[in-house]
Amino acid sequence: RIGTPTGSTGTPENVFERLHSQTDDPPPEGAIVSVDEKCHDDKIQCISVVKGHAHSVLSVSVHGKVMVTGSSDKTLRIWDLEQNTEVQRAAFTEDQVKKVVFSNKESVVYALTSQSLKAWDIRTDPKTCRSAPLTEFPSALLYPEDSDFIYYSTGISVRSWNIGSWTLAGVLHGHSGHVMCLEHVTLDKKKYIITGSRDHFCKIYDATDGIVSSRVPAATLNPPHFDGIEAIVWAGEHLYSGSRDMTIKKWHLKSRKEKGAQRPAHKDRVQALSYMCTMYIIYNTSCLGTTSRSQGPSPGFIVYVYNVYHI
């Protein structure tokens, strides 16, 4: 059970925003505050803001009523979305928290800072969290639920880490550019790790055994993007890749073929992808949410939603 830290002054309300601060004072206790703001075209409404981080929020992981945030203020925070409060916090003195992944079943947060991989059981003191130093700057973090391994990318390779023994298990090779994103796929009872890289390619690795050795890709998806890949997401039988070339590609993994592309998907690079399947009374549809930086008079960040059957 998530406990409330001593001295917590969080006030009730609801969900998330990135926050900047010009002060180096210790960050205050966080709170989730309701707002009633609409964007410039009145199509999207912000209902809540998470306040408390002193600098940019770099990563978010949500499972049920629990949200985890990692920030460049060197803290990792746990939020209760029912009580609308910050309930736990870990402070890391060495560097910013770049990526976070929460395992709801184990109540463990896996985090990448610029210098280390960490595992924190949120039922215990943050000072007791396990840590392993990194020799290269990390980019991506992946934890398949119920897996014995966690995966993270550093430079042009991906490493698999055995959670039980807390040791390096294997390495994925094959890219010539930095690996920026990772995805886990189960297809025909086999498990795969999909990678997206600045070398413009997505590659597929057999991960049925968890990857306990040095491994090269089982397949490379062609044709490549025209620029580096920033995000990938798995949705049913298809993989979607978003790139700095402003394009979203749709791939059929069984045939390893491109099935469609949205060009351009944005006015700037595609930085994030998320998939959600929703059912309505009249029809069943699947949507792909994408995030991009935008230039010009419009807001700095824009989210577009696409019907995946039209890509």
Side-chain angles (χ1 to χ4, degrees), residues 246-250 260-266 306 310-311:
M246 302 179 288
T247 300
I248 298 172
K249 285 196 174 191
K250 178 179 182 178
Q262 181 70 33
R263 299 187 180 94
H266 287 276
Y306 292 98
H310 295 163
I311 294 179

Side-chain angles (χ1 to χ4, degrees), residues 78-260:
I78 314 295
W79 309 82
D80 188 320
L81 297 180
E82 286 186 347
Q83 300 299 319
N84 304 311
T85 57
E86 176 193 336
V87 293
Q88 267 283 36
R89 182 193 308 184
F92 303 123
T93 58
E94 72 269 23
D95 214 342
Q96 59 191 11
V97 182
K98 293 177 59 62
K99 301 290 182 181
V100 293
V101 176
F102 179 62
S103 170
N104 191 49
K105 183 177 180 180
E106 300 174 351
S107 296
V108 173
V109 177
Y110 298 100
L112 277 179
T113 72
S114 296
Q115 300 180 33
S116 63
L117 170 68
K118 297 182 181 293
W120 172 34
D121 186 329
I122 63 175
R123 298 164 295 188
T124 65
D125 190 317
K127 295 179 181 179
T128 65
C129 75
R130 293 186 292 179
S131 182
L134 302 178
T135 57
E136 294 183 73
F137 198 74
S139 299
L141 178 66
L142 173 69
Y143 173 66
E145 194 68 38
D146 297 326
S147 174
D148 294 327
F149 300 88
I150 191 166
Y151 303 89
Y152 64 93
S153 64
T154 56
I156 63 174
S157 62
V158 177
R159 285 161 170 75
S160 63
W161 192 265
N162 188 303
I163 296 171
S165 62
W166 201 243
T167 56
L168 181 66
V171 182
L172 304 181
H173 299 288
H175 282 290
S176 59
H178 279 65
V179 178
M180 303 305 296
C181 44
L182 303 170
E183 181 67 291
H184 179 261
V185 172
T186 300
L187 195 63
D188 295 334
K189 297 183 179 180
K190 296 194 71 175
K191 298 177 180 179
Y192 300 94
I193 298 297
I194 316 292
T195 57
S197 168
R198 288 281 174 87
D199 64 11
H200 310 180
F201 286 98
C202 283
K203 295 182 182 290
I204 304 173
Y205 297 83
D206 188 343
T208 304
D209 63 354
I211 302 180
V212 292
S213 62
S214 180
R215 191 159 299 179
V216 296
T220 299
L221 298 180
N222 279 294
H225 280 274
F226 291 107
D227 206 338
I229 298 170
E230 295 289 319
I232 53 177
V233 65
W234 171 246
E237 292 185 349
H238 295 96
L239 180 81
Y240 297 86
S241 56
S243 168
R244 298 164 69 93
D245 65 8
M246 302 179 288
T247 300
I248 298 172
K249 285 196 174 191
K250 178 179 182 178
W251 306 91
H252 188 263
L253 285 194
K254 285 186 178 181
S255 64
R256 311 287 203 256
K257 293 182 178 180
E258 179 185 323
K259 304 300 289 186

Side-chain angles (χ1 to χ4, degrees), residues 4 7-15 28-34 48-52 79-87:
T4 303
S8 175
T9 57
T11 56
E13 282 339 273
N14 214 331
V15 194
E29 293 294 336
I32 304 177
V33 182
S34 289
S48 302
V49 173
V50 172
K51 295 185 176 182
W79 309 82
D80 188 320
L81 297 180
E82 286 186 347
Q83 300 299 319
N84 304 311
T85 57
E86 176 193 336
V87 293

